[in-house]
Each structure stands twice: as C-alpha cells, then as structure tokens.
Amino acid sequence: MEKIAKEVYGADGVTFSDEALAKFKLLEQDPSVRQMGTCMVKTHLSLSHDPDIKGRPRGWTLPVRDVLVFKGAGFVVPVAGAIKLMPGTASSAAFRNIDVDVNTGKVKGLF
C-alpha cells in the first residue's frame, strides 16, 4: 500500500484508521493473505482520496479507513477516503430485461 501510495499516487505515505489497523492485525494471522495481491479502492476522480483535488498533489497522506478481503479473487483491498462502495447486483437485475431484436437490430428494455 505504501509503495502504491508513494510511487503511483504521489502521496507522502499512508495512515490507517483504528478499524483498518484492527483488521490488518487479524489478517496478519492468516498465512494465505500473504499470497494475495493488493487492489486499492479510492475515487477515480483524483490521484488522491479526495475527488476535489486535481492533478498530481504533493504533501498529502493517503488515509486508509477500512480493508476488505476477497479470498476468491485473491485480493486484499484497502479502502481510501470516503468513497461509497457499489452494492451487489439485485436478484432481479435490470440487465435481464434488455434484449436485441435480431430482425430489426433495435435494443429492447433499455429504457
């Protein structure tokens, strides 16, 4: 996380919330976690955690507020800033109503 924050985002370092630190302590006890990759979750609107900070900011620290583990995918996922995570797909997802009429090429059920 430190390497990603410094070398990719340009941060001076990383800070951790008490919740994130507690989760990391638990994760350290699981040897399978050491084999996992890291996938950072932060706003896509900035190199920082703050969507209002544009360009490549200097003199800032990446705040990690939580950490998620997706063992099936093999990732430890630090969550930076106040980003909202997207909920899972509903049991009756809208994409199920979308189709293409093969005779006319028109998309049905999109709107």
Side-chain angles (χ1 to χ4, degrees), residues 12-102:
D12 291 339
V14 180
T15 59
F16 301 95
S17 71
D18 291 339
E19 180 181 6
L21 284 174
K23 286 186 179 181
F24 280 124
K25 285 184 181 185
L26 288 173
L27 291 174
E28 286 177 345
Q29 298 171 18
D30 184 347
S32 68
V33 171
R34 293 177 190 187
Q35 305 302 316
M36 293 183 187
T38 301
C39 180
M40 301 290 281
V41 173
K42 62 170 209 53
T43 180
H44 65 287
L45 298 172
S46 173
L47 282 175
S48 78
H49 62 288
D50 185 339
D52 295 327
I53 300 174
K54 303 302 180 200
R56 186 167 170 98
R58 296 177 193 263
W60 64 282
T61 303
L62 183 72
V64 173
R65 67 174 173 87
D66 196 4
V67 61
L68 307 172
V69 178
F70 298 103
K71 285 193 173 188
F75 286 105
V76 173
V77 183
V79 180
I83 190 166
K84 299 210 184 315
L85 301 176
M86 189 175 202
T89 304
S91 59
S92 179
F95 76 85
R96 292 185 177 150
N97 299 323
I98 299 172
D99 198 6
V100 176
D101 184 323
V102 294

